[in-house]
Amino acid sequence: MAWTNPYFDRSKEHHTPEGFRNLEPETRPPGGLKRWRKERKEQQLPRPPDAGYEAFARRWWQPTDFTGSQDAAWWLGHATVLVRHQGLTVLTDPVLGQRASPLSFAGPARRTLAPVDVAGLPSVDVVVISHNHYDHLDNATVHALARRFPQAVFLVPLGLKRWFDKAGIGNVRELDWWASTEVRGATFTFVPARHWSARTLWDRNRSLWGGWVMAHQGFRFWFAGDTGYSDKLAEIGRRAGPIDLAAIPIGAYAPRWFMQGQHVDPAEAVRLHREVGCKRSIAIHWGVFELADDQLDEPPRLLEEALAEGGLTGEDFMLLNIGGRIAL
């Protein structure tokens, strides 16, 4: 019997009877995945960083320091960001394991170490999940968080709560695009992104994907999750208000003919920074896993070029070390 979407609402354009969809047209050509894998193998992509992996890690990695109680944000690698604001601690897409894969022996492996493990984290109040891909939802990390911080609330896209239910993890709330919920005085709104979801060969787009806006005591943080470029995302800034800090992806964008509908490149990330109305942004989704054909050291180089072309600086759109922090 065919699976039908139990959340289907015909009044919502991103809902379908079979699951969910983007509002933008599909850009990947038929047979694109097979072609990309073939070309990637033939061209031996991705290539190592120019100075090698060890030198890259020395340049872009540092141990995390959570001392003090000041408001701050830490980039913990890939899409994992910890934000501490006025006593509230929020963690995004926690992936602290060695592979972005359902298997312990295969799949994309870390090229840079996690700067901390779950045991080394400060108390976490809220965990937000953007979608169910393995580089954003790591089974072992999530279970460890639920054990160590039983009071933590997990906020997830529509359709993903059943995964947590099966895993025996409680305190889970699932939201549709533009729905909001309150946790400890903060309002969290699930906002659109241009991406997709799948955890197996049989569940493509059965759960939603998106980003999160946290509004807490006059401070707004936008976690973009994974997204391709869309001019529709400017609505986030119009509806949420000025964004004080954003976490925007800049990596896993090559080749553009295949990746453009799901991952922004650095120039598009800068465009989103402007169009959404972000005061400051942190570059995420680079430097850890080789998920596409771009070299690990290419995204920061291209981001600096895009900022210069746009008249912005590294203070506007920041390249942190993995494990690095900024004051809020």
Side-chain angles (χ1 to χ4, degrees), residues 214-246:
M214 177 188 80
H216 186 234
Q217 298 185 18
F219 172 80
R220 293 182 183 88
F221 168 60
W222 171 43
F223 169 58
D226 247 359
T227 188
Y229 173 77
S230 172
D231 58 8
K232 294 180 174 63
L233 298 182
E235 186 179 4
I236 294 169
R238 290 194 295 268
R239 291 178 65 161
I243 302 295
D244 296 287
L245 180 69

Side-chain angles (χ1 to χ4, degrees), residues 28-44:
R28 286 178 291 185
L33 179 61
K34 184 177 180 180
R35 172 189 159 190
W36 172 53
R37 286 176 172 170
K38 180 176 181 291
E39 292 178 355
R40 196 179 203 221
K41 184 176 181 180
E42 291 173 347
Q43 299 172 38
Q44 297 183 317

Side-chain angles (χ1 to χ4, degrees), residues 7-162:
Y7 305 93
F8 176 59
D9 181 342
R10 66 178 63 255
S11 70
K12 296 181 178 180
E13 192 177 355
H14 63 286
H15 286 222
T16 76
E18 296 78 31
F20 302 96
R21 65 184 174 192
N22 291 305
L23 302 183
E24 303 80 9
E26 176 61 71
T27 59
R28 286 178 291 185
L33 179 61
K34 184 177 180 180
R35 172 189 159 190
W36 172 53
R37 286 176 172 170
K38 180 176 181 291
E39 292 178 355
R40 196 179 203 221
K41 184 176 181 180
E42 291 173 347
Q43 299 172 38
Q44 297 183 317
L45 299 174
R47 297 185 177 90
D50 286 346
Y53 291 107
E54 289 187 12
F56 176 83
R58 286 195 300 270
R59 166 63 182 86
W60 289 109
W61 185 93
Q62 68 183 66
T64 305
D65 180 4
F66 291 114
T67 58
S69 59
Q70 300 90 346
D71 292 351
W74 291 259
W75 181 42
L76 305 182
H78 201 54
T80 306
V81 178
L82 188 141
V83 175
R84 182 170 65 203
H85 184 263
Q86 295 296 299
L88 182 73
T89 301
V90 179
L91 189 63
T92 72
D93 284 2
V95 177
L96 301 175
Q98 289 305 111
R99 290 187 184 274
S101 170
L103 305 172
S104 62
F105 55 87
R110 281 187 175 273
R111 289 297 191 173
T112 47
L113 297 174
V116 68
D117 58 16
V118 172
L121 291 172
S123 182
V124 173
D125 301 299
V126 182
V127 180
V128 299
I129 305 293
S130 65
H131 65 297
N132 70 355
H133 286 161
Y134 286 92
D135 61 314
H136 293 259
L137 175 58
D138 178 61
N139 184 67
T141 303
V142 166
H143 274 89
L145 286 167
R147 287 193 299 269
R148 180 152 189 254
F149 307 115
Q151 81 288 351
V153 178
F154 289 83
L155 304 181
V156 307
L158 199 62
L160 194 51
K161 184 177 182 294
R162 61 178 177 267

